[in-house]
Amino acid sequence: MSQPYGRIYNFSAGPCALPVEVLEQVRDDLVNYKGAGMSVMEMSHRGKDFDAIAQQTEADFRKVFGVPDDYQVLLLQGGASLQFSMLPMSFLEEGSTADYVITGAWGKKALEAACMVGAVNKIFDAKETNYDRVPKFADLKVTPGAAYLHFTSNETIQGVAFFEDPSLDVPLVCDMSSDILSRPVDVGKYDMIYAGAQKNMGPAGLAVVVMSPRFVDRLPAQTHPMLDYRLMIENKSMYNTPNCWSIYVCGLVYQWVMKQGGLAGMNRQCKEKAQVLYDAIDGSGGFYKAHAQPESRSIMNITWTLANDELTDEFLKGAKANGMAELKGHRSVGGVRASIYNAFPIEGCRALAEYMRAFAAKNG
Ligand code: PMP
């Protein structure tokens, strides 16, 4: 089935497909935003029109994600990667340690940044099995008195994910960049959650940070201004000029998520889409092999290899010729990666599954 506006099925890991309804709204607002006489890109971040947009975006995020009233929500620049550094610079106090759970490439990057700041304990690392699984939270040995425990709920490159919000005796910090808004989250269990915008929320260059009052109390009196959560809280994320465009589009996406039935509705759709692809992999009689172990399988990034790796290039070329792009797996895993975030249409998953079956029948 062809897509509107001649769009193709874009399986990119991020930036990635946005909801067509949101793009249409952006188009309609583009040149003259609701009679303001200018676009959102052209208006002052201190003016009343943008102020209303920023307030609505934050309010809608709080509503859709279920953020407790006493938690802070920040919309910061520097992407999720800057949080890898801001977090330990603020909370990894001298004399303490932080626990890191490594289930893939992004957790490793977060760990590397923390190592530059202070003492870190890697309490789990799935390196030996090339990051094909996540641990059970109950099996983790948390360091007594740790400043925090950091984990990555969905590893974008490997396609492995956690699906629960743990109760552990340590302040919890989670990088939810690639699965935020794909399932209901018990936000109150965490002291900090952060996510880059460019998968399930909007354009790149923005990170949403959610912080508990306990963590706010622990913030150091002063840090470099652009790395200072306290300053960002005091200035409502507008200490300097924020990423106005991303804030505006994210706001539209939050409203779209609500129309999908909120996070419960989103989660149903995501599971259904992922199942279409996992069924095609598992039903291929070994022609395709999923990278992730069954209990750890992501519903955002589906990763697999072909038993005969020499066919991978042909598989990707054929997919592209059939209107399915950005399917090449990351070199650390190889094979194929289909990123099917919230806005990715189920028809694209069905088209890919059909192509997979035809390709296997021809080459198996
Ligand atoms: N964490 C995860 C899980 C990611 O997938 C990514 C980006 N792919 C990042 C962090 C880094 O995000 P950014 O590029 O916004 O810094």
Side-chain angles (χ1 to χ4, degrees), residues 39-54:
S39 75
V40 176
M41 276 183 276
E42 299 166 296
M43 58 179 59
S44 165
H45 61 297
R46 310 259 179 227
K48 77 171 178 17
D49 285 312
F50 189 74
D51 191 50
I53 291 171

Side-chain angles (χ1 to χ4, degrees), residues 78-81 84 106 152 154 156 175 177-178 196 198-199:
S81 299
F84 296 166
W106 292 105
T152 312
N154 183 80
T156 320
D175 173 2
S177 293
S178 53
Q198 69 273 25
K199 285 106 163 61

Side-chain angles (χ1 to χ4, degrees), residues 68 70-72 190-191 211-218:
D70 57 352
Y71 273 54
Q72 296 291 334
Y190 296 85
D191 278 293
M211 192 179 287
S212 74
R214 294 179 297 271
F215 247 33
V216 173
D217 286 346
R218 272 175 57 181

Side-chain angles (χ1 to χ4, degrees), residues 12 15 95 111 160 169 182 195 200 257 264 266 289 311 330 337 355:
S12 169
L111 172 84
V160 294
D169 196 15
S182 69
N200 272 341
V257 172
M266 226 49 270
K289 183 179 176 304
L311 290 172
H330 188 270
R337 170 174 56 169
Y355 169 73

Side-chain angles (χ1 to χ4, degrees), residues 68-90:
D69 288 344
D70 57 352
Y71 273 54
Q72 296 291 334
V73 170
L74 295 170
L75 307 172
L76 304 181
Q77 299 193 55
S81 299
L82 188 59
Q83 297 309 308
F84 296 166
S85 301
M86 280 176 79
L87 167 72
M89 288 173 81
S90 294

